PDB file of all heavy atoms in Angstrom:
ATOM      1  N   GLY A   1       0.570  15.636   9.231  1.00 93.00           N
ATOM      2  CA  GLY A   1       1.869  15.200   9.722  1.00 93.00           C
ATOM      3  C   GLY A   1       1.854  13.813  10.323  1.00 93.00           C
ATOM      4  O   GLY A   1       2.842  13.381  10.933  1.00 93.00           O
ATOM      5  N   ALA A   2       0.748  13.066  10.153  1.00 93.00           N
ATOM      6  CA  ALA A   2       0.651  11.716  10.708  1.00 93.00           C
ATOM      7  C   ALA A   2       1.566  10.753   9.952  1.00 93.00           C
ATOM      8  O   ALA A   2       1.969  11.003   8.815  1.00 93.00           O
ATOM      9  CB  ALA A   2      -0.799  11.230  10.629  1.00 93.00           C
ATOM     10  N   LEU A   3       1.877   9.637  10.597  1.00 93.00           N
ATOM     11  CA  LEU A   3       2.676   8.596   9.959  1.00 93.00           C
ATOM     12  C   LEU A   3       1.902   8.013   8.785  1.00 93.00           C
ATOM     13  O   LEU A   3       0.718   7.696   8.904  1.00 93.00           O
ATOM     14  CB  LEU A   3       2.996   7.484  10.973  1.00 93.00           C
ATOM     15  CG  LEU A   3       3.801   6.284  10.451  1.00 93.00           C
ATOM     16  CD1 LEU A   3       5.206   6.722  10.035  1.00 93.00           C
ATOM     17  CD2 LEU A   3       3.861   5.187  11.512  1.00 93.00           C
ATOM     18  N   ASP A   4       2.562   7.871   7.634  1.00 94.00           N
ATOM     19  CA  ASP A   4       1.928   7.350   6.422  1.00 94.00           C
ATOM     20  C   ASP A   4       2.014   5.827   6.419  1.00 94.00           C
ATOM     21  O   ASP A   4       3.074   5.251   6.194  1.00 94.00           O
ATOM     22  CB  ASP A   4       2.632   7.928   5.193  1.00 94.00           C
ATOM     23  CG  ASP A   4       1.938   7.559   3.894  1.00 94.00           C
ATOM     24  OD1 ASP A   4       0.953   6.799   3.938  1.00 94.00           O
ATOM     25  OD2 ASP A   4       2.388   8.032   2.829  1.00 94.00           O
ATOM     26  N   LEU A   5       0.893   5.165   6.667  1.00 92.00           N
ATOM     27  CA  LEU A   5       0.833   3.705   6.648  1.00 92.00           C
ATOM     28  C   LEU A   5       0.470   3.166   5.272  1.00 92.00           C
ATOM     29  O   LEU A   5       0.352   1.949   5.089  1.00 92.00           O
ATOM     30  CB  LEU A   5      -0.163   3.200   7.697  1.00 92.00           C
ATOM     31  CG  LEU A   5       0.174   3.551   9.146  1.00 92.00           C
ATOM     32  CD1 LEU A   5      -0.885   2.994  10.087  1.00 92.00           C
ATOM     33  CD2 LEU A   5       1.555   3.043   9.532  1.00 92.00           C
ATOM     34  N   GLY A   6       0.271   4.059   4.301  1.00 91.00           N
ATOM     35  CA  GLY A   6       0.099   3.635   2.923  1.00 91.00           C
ATOM     36  C   GLY A   6      -1.335   3.387   2.491  1.00 91.00           C
ATOM     37  O   GLY A   6      -2.287   3.502   3.262  1.00 91.00           O
ATOM     38  N   CYS A   7      -1.444   3.055   1.209  1.00 92.00           N
ATOM     39  CA  CYS A   7      -2.724   2.787   0.551  1.00 92.00           C
ATOM     40  C   CYS A   7      -2.703   1.328   0.103  1.00 92.00           C
ATOM     41  O   CYS A   7      -1.767   0.900  -0.577  1.00 92.00           O
ATOM     42  CB  CYS A   7      -2.876   3.730  -0.647  1.00 92.00           C
ATOM     43  SG  CYS A   7      -4.356   3.471  -1.626  1.00 92.00           S
ATOM     44  N   HIS A   8      -3.721   0.560   0.461  1.00 88.00           N
ATOM     45  CA  HIS A   8      -3.662  -0.894   0.288  1.00 88.00           C
ATOM     46  C   HIS A   8      -4.942  -1.465  -0.328  1.00 88.00           C
ATOM     47  O   HIS A   8      -6.045  -1.006  -0.028  1.00 88.00           O
ATOM     48  CB  HIS A   8      -3.441  -1.574   1.643  1.00 88.00           C
ATOM     49  CG  HIS A   8      -2.303  -0.996   2.423  1.00 88.00           C
ATOM     50  ND1 HIS A   8      -0.987  -1.332   2.188  1.00 88.00           N
ATOM     51  CD2 HIS A   8      -2.285  -0.070   3.416  1.00 88.00           C
ATOM     52  CE1 HIS A   8      -0.203  -0.656   3.012  1.00 88.00           C
ATOM     53  NE2 HIS A   8      -0.964   0.116   3.772  1.00 88.00           N
ATOM     54  N   GLY A   9      -4.780  -2.479  -1.157  1.00 87.00           N
ATOM     55  CA  GLY A   9      -5.910  -3.245  -1.653  1.00 87.00           C
ATOM     56  C   GLY A   9      -6.360  -4.243  -0.607  1.00 87.00           C
ATOM     57  O   GLY A   9      -5.534  -4.882   0.044  1.00 87.00           O
ATOM     58  N   ARG A  10      -7.654  -4.366  -0.432  1.00 86.00           N
ATOM     59  CA  ARG A  10      -8.220  -5.329   0.510  1.00 86.00           C
ATOM     60  C   ARG A  10      -9.496  -5.933  -0.071  1.00 86.00           C
ATOM     61  O   ARG A  10     -10.123  -5.364  -0.961  1.00 86.00           O
ATOM     62  CB  ARG A  10      -8.553  -4.660   1.856  1.00 86.00           C
ATOM     63  CG  ARG A  10      -7.331  -4.281   2.691  1.00 86.00           C
ATOM     64  CD  ARG A  10      -6.619  -5.499   3.242  1.00 86.00           C
ATOM     65  NE  ARG A  10      -5.517  -5.137   4.124  1.00 86.00           N
ATOM     66  CZ  ARG A  10      -4.257  -4.978   3.750  1.00 86.00           C
ATOM     67  NH1 ARG A  10      -3.929  -5.124   2.458  1.00 86.00           N
ATOM     68  NH2 ARG A  10      -3.320  -4.676   4.623  1.00 86.00           N
ATOM     69  N   GLN A  11      -9.880  -7.082   0.476  1.00 82.00           N
ATOM     70  CA  GLN A  11     -11.088  -7.777   0.038  1.00 82.00           C
ATOM     71  C   GLN A  11     -12.179  -7.709   1.109  1.00 82.00           C
ATOM     72  O   GLN A  11     -13.012  -8.599   1.216  1.00 82.00           O
ATOM     73  CB  GLN A  11     -10.753  -9.246  -0.275  1.00 82.00           C
ATOM     74  CG  GLN A  11      -9.903  -9.445  -1.503  1.00 82.00           C
ATOM     75  CD  GLN A  11     -10.708  -9.368  -2.782  1.00 82.00           C
ATOM     76  OE1 GLN A  11     -11.939  -9.377  -2.752  1.00 82.00           O
ATOM     77  NE2 GLN A  11     -10.035  -9.275  -3.909  1.00 82.00           N
ATOM     78  N   TRP A  12     -12.193  -6.644   1.897  1.00 85.00           N
ATOM     79  CA  TRP A  12     -13.205  -6.492   2.927  1.00 85.00           C
ATOM     80  C   TRP A  12     -14.595  -6.436   2.298  1.00 85.00           C
ATOM     81  O   TRP A  12     -14.772  -5.971   1.173  1.00 85.00           O
ATOM     82  CB  TRP A  12     -12.949  -5.228   3.740  1.00 85.00           C
ATOM     83  CG  TRP A  12     -11.667  -5.271   4.509  1.00 85.00           C
ATOM     84  CD1 TRP A  12     -10.994  -6.382   4.934  1.00 85.00           C
ATOM     85  CD2 TRP A  12     -10.895  -4.143   4.947  1.00 85.00           C
ATOM     86  NE1 TRP A  12      -9.855  -6.016   5.612  1.00 85.00           N
ATOM     87  CE2 TRP A  12      -9.769  -4.655   5.639  1.00 85.00           C
ATOM     88  CE3 TRP A  12     -11.047  -2.754   4.837  1.00 85.00           C
ATOM     89  CZ2 TRP A  12      -8.804  -3.831   6.203  1.00 85.00           C
ATOM     90  CZ3 TRP A  12     -10.084  -1.936   5.400  1.00 85.00           C
ATOM     91  CH2 TRP A  12      -8.977  -2.461   6.085  1.00 85.00           C
ATOM     92  N   ILE A  13     -15.570  -6.883   3.071  1.00 84.00           N
ATOM     93  CA  ILE A  13     -16.938  -6.984   2.565  1.00 84.00           C
ATOM     94  C   ILE A  13     -17.438  -5.654   2.008  1.00 84.00           C
ATOM     95  O   ILE A  13     -17.998  -5.589   0.910  1.00 84.00           O
ATOM     96  CB  ILE A  13     -17.890  -7.478   3.679  1.00 84.00           C
ATOM     97  CG1 ILE A  13     -17.570  -8.941   4.043  1.00 84.00           C
ATOM     98  CG2 ILE A  13     -19.346  -7.362   3.236  1.00 84.00           C
ATOM     99  CD1 ILE A  13     -17.804  -9.931   2.937  1.00 84.00           C
ATOM    100  N   VAL A  14     -17.244  -4.559   2.741  1.00 88.00           N
ATOM    101  CA  VAL A  14     -17.769  -3.272   2.276  1.00 88.00           C
ATOM    102  C   VAL A  14     -17.108  -2.843   0.967  1.00 88.00           C
ATOM    103  O   VAL A  14     -17.745  -2.210   0.117  1.00 88.00           O
ATOM    104  CB  VAL A  14     -17.599  -2.178   3.357  1.00 88.00           C
ATOM    105  CG1 VAL A  14     -16.120  -1.857   3.606  1.00 88.00           C
ATOM    106  CG2 VAL A  14     -18.357  -0.909   2.965  1.00 88.00           C
ATOM    107  N   LEU A  15     -15.849  -3.206   0.758  1.00 88.00           N
ATOM    108  CA  LEU A  15     -15.155  -2.839  -0.477  1.00 88.00           C
ATOM    109  C   LEU A  15     -15.590  -3.725  -1.644  1.00 88.00           C
ATOM    110  O   LEU A  15     -15.689  -3.265  -2.776  1.00 88.00           O
ATOM    111  CB  LEU A  15     -13.640  -2.945  -0.279  1.00 88.00           C
ATOM    112  CG  LEU A  15     -13.033  -2.040   0.801  1.00 88.00           C
ATOM    113  CD1 LEU A  15     -11.533  -2.327   0.953  1.00 88.00           C
ATOM    114  CD2 LEU A  15     -13.247  -0.571   0.467  1.00 88.00           C
ATOM    115  N   ARG A  16     -15.855  -4.996  -1.358  1.00 83.00           N
ATOM    116  CA  ARG A  16     -16.207  -5.947  -2.419  1.00 83.00           C
ATOM    117  C   ARG A  16     -17.653  -5.814  -2.876  1.00 83.00           C
ATOM    118  O   ARG A  16     -17.951  -5.974  -4.058  1.00 83.00           O
ATOM    119  CB  ARG A  16     -16.000  -7.388  -1.941  1.00 83.00           C
ATOM    120  CG  ARG A  16     -14.567  -7.796  -1.716  1.00 83.00           C
ATOM    121  CD  ARG A  16     -14.485  -9.226  -1.204  1.00 83.00           C
ATOM    122  NE  ARG A  16     -15.006 -10.176  -2.164  1.00 83.00           N
ATOM    123  CZ  ARG A  16     -15.930 -11.088  -1.897  1.00 83.00           C
ATOM    124  NH1 ARG A  16     -16.466 -11.161  -0.701  1.00 83.00           N
ATOM    125  NH2 ARG A  16     -16.319 -11.931  -2.835  1.00 83.00           N
ATOM    126  N   THR A  17     -18.551  -5.567  -1.929  1.00 83.00           N
ATOM    127  CA  THR A  17     -19.972  -5.696  -2.247  1.00 83.00           C
ATOM    128  C   THR A  17     -20.674  -4.372  -2.531  1.00 83.00           C
ATOM    129  O   THR A  17     -21.779  -4.376  -3.065  1.00 83.00           O
ATOM    130  CB  THR A  17     -20.720  -6.410  -1.102  1.00 83.00           C
ATOM    131  OG1 THR A  17     -20.591  -5.640   0.093  1.00 83.00           O
ATOM    132  CG2 THR A  17     -20.129  -7.793  -0.860  1.00 83.00           C
ATOM    133  N   THR A  18     -20.075  -3.250  -2.180  1.00 88.00           N
ATOM    134  CA  THR A  18     -20.703  -1.965  -2.480  1.00 88.00           C
ATOM    135  C   THR A  18     -20.649  -1.721  -3.989  1.00 88.00           C
ATOM    136  O   THR A  18     -19.571  -1.735  -4.581  1.00 88.00           O
ATOM    137  CB  THR A  18     -19.985  -0.815  -1.752  1.00 88.00           C
ATOM    138  OG1 THR A  18     -20.000  -1.073  -0.339  1.00 88.00           O
ATOM    139  CG2 THR A  18     -20.674   0.515  -2.031  1.00 88.00           C
ATOM    140  N   PRO A  19     -21.796  -1.501  -4.638  1.00 85.00           N
ATOM    141  CA  PRO A  19     -21.816  -1.357  -6.110  1.00 85.00           C
ATOM    142  C   PRO A  19     -21.392   0.027  -6.576  1.00 85.00           C
ATOM    143  O   PRO A  19     -22.057   0.661  -7.399  1.00 85.00           O
ATOM    144  CB  PRO A  19     -23.286  -1.642  -6.445  1.00 85.00           C
ATOM    145  CG  PRO A  19     -24.039  -1.172  -5.252  1.00 85.00           C
ATOM    146  CD  PRO A  19     -23.152  -1.484  -4.063  1.00 85.00           C
ATOM    147  N   ALA A  20     -20.289   0.516  -6.041  1.00 89.00           N
ATOM    148  CA  ALA A  20     -19.743   1.823  -6.417  1.00 89.00           C
ATOM    149  C   ALA A  20     -18.300   1.853  -5.937  1.00 89.00           C
ATOM    150  O   ALA A  20     -17.942   1.154  -4.981  1.00 89.00           O
ATOM    151  CB  ALA A  20     -20.536   2.958  -5.757  1.00 89.00           C
ATOM    152  N   PRO A  21     -17.431   2.643  -6.580  1.00 90.00           N
ATOM    153  CA  PRO A  21     -16.057   2.770  -6.085  1.00 90.00           C
ATOM    154  C   PRO A  21     -16.071   3.202  -4.621  1.00 90.00           C
ATOM    155  O   PRO A  21     -16.737   4.170  -4.259  1.00 90.00           O
ATOM    156  CB  PRO A  21     -15.463   3.863  -6.987  1.00 90.00           C
ATOM    157  CG  PRO A  21     -16.276   3.812  -8.233  1.00 90.00           C
ATOM    158  CD  PRO A  21     -17.657   3.461  -7.792  1.00 90.00           C
ATOM    159  N   THR A  22     -15.348   2.473  -3.787  1.00 94.00           N
ATOM    160  CA  THR A  22     -15.391   2.700  -2.342  1.00 94.00           C
ATOM    161  C   THR A  22     -13.983   2.889  -1.786  1.00 94.00           C
ATOM    162  O   THR A  22     -13.075   2.123  -2.096  1.00 94.00           O
ATOM    163  CB  THR A  22     -16.090   1.528  -1.633  1.00 94.00           C
ATOM    164  OG1 THR A  22     -17.415   1.379  -2.175  1.00 94.00           O
ATOM    165  CG2 THR A  22     -16.184   1.762  -0.138  1.00 94.00           C
ATOM    166  N   ILE A  23     -13.835   3.911  -0.962  1.00 95.00           N
ATOM    167  CA  ILE A  23     -12.568   4.263  -0.328  1.00 95.00           C
ATOM    168  C   ILE A  23     -12.763   4.142   1.182  1.00 95.00           C
ATOM    169  O   ILE A  23     -13.731   4.677   1.729  1.00 95.00           O
ATOM    170  CB  ILE A  23     -12.167   5.709  -0.680  1.00 95.00           C
ATOM    171  CG1 ILE A  23     -12.000   5.867  -2.202  1.00 95.00           C
ATOM    172  CG2 ILE A  23     -10.911   6.136   0.063  1.00 95.00           C
ATOM    173  CD1 ILE A  23     -12.080   7.313  -2.666  1.00 95.00           C
ATOM    174  N   TYR A  24     -11.865   3.427   1.855  1.00 96.00           N
ATOM    175  CA  TYR A  24     -11.959   3.270   3.309  1.00 96.00           C
ATOM    176  C   TYR A  24     -10.779   3.999   3.942  1.00 96.00           C
ATOM    177  O   TYR A  24      -9.622   3.733   3.606  1.00 96.00           O
ATOM    178  CB  TYR A  24     -11.931   1.791   3.698  1.00 96.00           C
ATOM    179  CG  TYR A  24     -12.334   1.506   5.125  1.00 96.00           C
ATOM    180  CD1 TYR A  24     -13.534   0.876   5.410  1.00 96.00           C
ATOM    181  CD2 TYR A  24     -11.518   1.875   6.189  1.00 96.00           C
ATOM    182  CE1 TYR A  24     -13.915   0.616   6.721  1.00 96.00           C
ATOM    183  CE2 TYR A  24     -11.884   1.623   7.502  1.00 96.00           C
ATOM    184  CZ  TYR A  24     -13.080   0.994   7.763  1.00 96.00           C
ATOM    185  OH  TYR A  24     -13.453   0.740   9.056  1.00 96.00           O
ATOM    186  N   LEU A  25     -11.062   4.924   4.852  1.00 96.00           N
ATOM    187  CA  LEU A  25     -10.025   5.735   5.490  1.00 96.00           C
ATOM    188  C   LEU A  25      -9.919   5.409   6.975  1.00 96.00           C
ATOM    189  O   LEU A  25     -10.910   5.482   7.708  1.00 96.00           O
ATOM    190  CB  LEU A  25     -10.335   7.229   5.332  1.00 96.00           C
ATOM    191  CG  LEU A  25     -10.541   7.746   3.902  1.00 96.00           C
ATOM    192  CD1 LEU A  25     -10.923   9.218   3.944  1.00 96.00           C
ATOM    193  CD2 LEU A  25      -9.295   7.525   3.054  1.00 96.00           C
ATOM    194  N   ASP A  26      -8.718   5.044   7.413  1.00 95.00           N
ATOM    195  CA  ASP A  26      -8.419   4.935   8.847  1.00 95.00           C
ATOM    196  C   ASP A  26      -7.732   6.229   9.252  1.00 95.00           C
ATOM    197  O   ASP A  26      -6.608   6.506   8.827  1.00 95.00           O
ATOM    198  CB  ASP A  26      -7.496   3.741   9.115  1.00 95.00           C
ATOM    199  CG  ASP A  26      -8.268   2.489   9.481  1.00 95.00           C
ATOM    200  OD1 ASP A  26      -9.426   2.616   9.916  1.00 95.00           O
ATOM    201  OD2 ASP A  26      -7.715   1.389   9.334  1.00 95.00           O
ATOM    202  N   MET A  27      -8.396   7.030  10.086  1.00 96.00           N
ATOM    203  CA  MET A  27      -7.914   8.372  10.395  1.00 96.00           C
ATOM    204  C   MET A  27      -6.895   8.409  11.532  1.00 96.00           C
ATOM    205  O   MET A  27      -6.384   9.478  11.862  1.00 96.00           O
ATOM    206  CB  MET A  27      -9.105   9.272  10.744  1.00 96.00           C
ATOM    207  CG  MET A  27     -10.143   9.370   9.636  1.00 96.00           C
ATOM    208  SD  MET A  27     -11.473  10.532  10.024  1.00 96.00           S
ATOM    209  CE  MET A  27     -12.249   9.732  11.440  1.00 96.00           C
ATOM    210  N   GLY A  28      -6.591   7.263  12.138  1.00 95.00           N
ATOM    211  CA  GLY A  28      -5.626   7.235  13.225  1.00 95.00           C
ATOM    212  C   GLY A  28      -6.043   6.262  14.310  1.00 95.00           C
ATOM    213  O   GLY A  28      -7.150   5.718  14.298  1.00 95.00           O
ATOM    214  N   TYR A  29      -5.153   6.044  15.270  1.00 95.00           N
ATOM    215  CA  TYR A  29      -5.376   5.082  16.352  1.00 95.00           C
ATOM    216  C   TYR A  29      -5.837   5.792  17.621  1.00 95.00           C
ATOM    217  O   TYR A  29      -5.098   6.588  18.202  1.00 95.00           O
ATOM    218  CB  TYR A  29      -4.094   4.302  16.638  1.00 95.00           C
ATOM    219  CG  TYR A  29      -3.794   3.226  15.628  1.00 95.00           C
ATOM    220  CD1 TYR A  29      -3.154   3.529  14.435  1.00 95.00           C
ATOM    221  CD2 TYR A  29      -4.155   1.900  15.868  1.00 95.00           C
ATOM    222  CE1 TYR A  29      -2.876   2.542  13.502  1.00 95.00           C
ATOM    223  CE2 TYR A  29      -3.881   0.907  14.945  1.00 95.00           C
ATOM    224  CZ  TYR A  29      -3.241   1.230  13.759  1.00 95.00           C
ATOM    225  OH  TYR A  29      -2.974   0.249  12.840  1.00 95.00           O
ATOM    226  N   LEU A  30      -7.040   5.456  18.057  1.00 95.00           N
ATOM    227  CA  LEU A  30      -7.530   6.015  19.312  1.00 95.00           C
ATOM    228  C   LEU A  30      -6.778   5.430  20.501  1.00 95.00           C
ATOM    229  O   LEU A  30      -6.814   5.995  21.600  1.00 95.00           O
ATOM    230  CB  LEU A  30      -9.028   5.727  19.459  1.00 95.00           C
ATOM    231  CG  LEU A  30      -9.941   6.415  18.436  1.00 95.00           C
ATOM    232  CD1 LEU A  30     -11.389   6.016  18.663  1.00 95.00           C
ATOM    233  CD2 LEU A  30      -9.787   7.921  18.511  1.00 95.00           C
ATOM    234  N   SER A  31      -6.097   4.307  20.297  1.00 94.00           N
ATOM    235  CA  SER A  31      -5.322   3.684  21.371  1.00 94.00           C
ATOM    236  C   SER A  31      -3.977   4.361  21.579  1.00 94.00           C
ATOM    237  O   SER A  31      -3.294   4.090  22.571  1.00 94.00           O
ATOM    238  CB  SER A  31      -5.105   2.197  21.050  1.00 94.00           C
ATOM    239  OG  SER A  31      -4.623   2.040  19.717  1.00 94.00           O
ATOM    240  N   ASN A  32      -3.574   5.229  20.648  1.00 95.00           N
ATOM    241  CA  ASN A  32      -2.325   5.969  20.782  1.00 95.00           C
ATOM    242  C   ASN A  32      -2.619   7.310  21.443  1.00 95.00           C
ATOM    243  O   ASN A  32      -3.404   8.100  20.912  1.00 95.00           O
ATOM    244  CB  ASN A  32      -1.692   6.179  19.401  1.00 95.00           C
ATOM    245  CG  ASN A  32      -0.395   6.958  19.457  1.00 95.00           C
ATOM    246  OD1 ASN A  32      -0.393   8.182  19.559  1.00 95.00           O
ATOM    247  ND2 ASN A  32       0.712   6.244  19.381  1.00 95.00           N
ATOM    248  N   PRO A  33      -2.029   7.604  22.606  1.00 95.00           N
ATOM    249  CA  PRO A  33      -2.373   8.844  23.322  1.00 95.00           C
ATOM    250  C   PRO A  33      -2.205  10.103  22.477  1.00 95.00           C
ATOM    251  O   PRO A  33      -3.055  10.997  22.506  1.00 95.00           O
ATOM    252  CB  PRO A  33      -1.402   8.837  24.516  1.00 95.00           C
ATOM    253  CG  PRO A  33      -1.086   7.394  24.737  1.00 95.00           C
ATOM    254  CD  PRO A  33      -1.072   6.774  23.371  1.00 95.00           C
ATOM    255  N   GLY A  34      -1.123  10.167  21.687  1.00 95.00           N
ATOM    256  CA  GLY A  34      -0.888  11.359  20.879  1.00 95.00           C
ATOM    257  C   GLY A  34      -1.926  11.532  19.780  1.00 95.00           C
ATOM    258  O   GLY A  34      -2.473  12.627  19.600  1.00 95.00           O
ATOM    259  N   GLU A  35      -2.222  10.454  19.054  1.00 96.00           N
ATOM    260  CA  GLU A  35      -3.209  10.551  17.975  1.00 96.00           C
ATOM    261  C   GLU A  35      -4.611  10.747  18.531  1.00 96.00           C
ATOM    262  O   GLU A  35      -5.433  11.441  17.924  1.00 96.00           O
ATOM    263  CB  GLU A  35      -3.151   9.308  17.083  1.00 96.00           C
ATOM    264  CG  GLU A  35      -1.975   9.330  16.145  1.00 96.00           C
ATOM    265  CD  GLU A  35      -2.065   8.314  15.030  1.00 96.00           C
ATOM    266  OE1 GLU A  35      -2.889   7.387  15.095  1.00 96.00           O
ATOM    267  OE2 GLU A  35      -1.291   8.456  14.075  1.00 96.00           O
ATOM    268  N   SER A  36      -4.884  10.131  19.676  1.00 96.00           N
ATOM    269  CA  SER A  36      -6.182  10.315  20.305  1.00 96.00           C
ATOM    270  C   SER A  36      -6.402  11.792  20.630  1.00 96.00           C
ATOM    271  O   SER A  36      -7.479  12.351  20.387  1.00 96.00           O
ATOM    272  CB  SER A  36      -6.263   9.474  21.580  1.00 96.00           C
ATOM    273  OG  SER A  36      -7.480   9.702  22.253  1.00 96.00           O
ATOM    274  N   GLU A  37      -5.367  12.428  21.148  1.00 96.00           N
ATOM    275  CA  GLU A  37      -5.457  13.856  21.479  1.00 96.00           C
ATOM    276  C   GLU A  37      -5.611  14.690  20.204  1.00 96.00           C
ATOM    277  O   GLU A  37      -6.402  15.637  20.167  1.00 96.00           O
ATOM    278  CB  GLU A  37      -4.198  14.271  22.243  1.00 96.00           C
ATOM    279  CG  GLU A  37      -4.219  15.706  22.747  1.00 96.00           C
ATOM    280  CD  GLU A  37      -2.987  16.053  23.560  1.00 96.00           C
ATOM    281  OE1 GLU A  37      -2.390  15.136  24.162  1.00 96.00           O
ATOM    282  OE2 GLU A  37      -2.620  17.248  23.588  1.00 96.00           O
TER     283      GLU A  37
END
């Protein structure tokens, strides 16, 4: 039920240089009291 921030292309080092398909997941904001809980 979390807010959907979408799926995005990025040129981050781990995505560019890892020699395999790589998926990066942000599971939520620890700075947000509700999501932190």
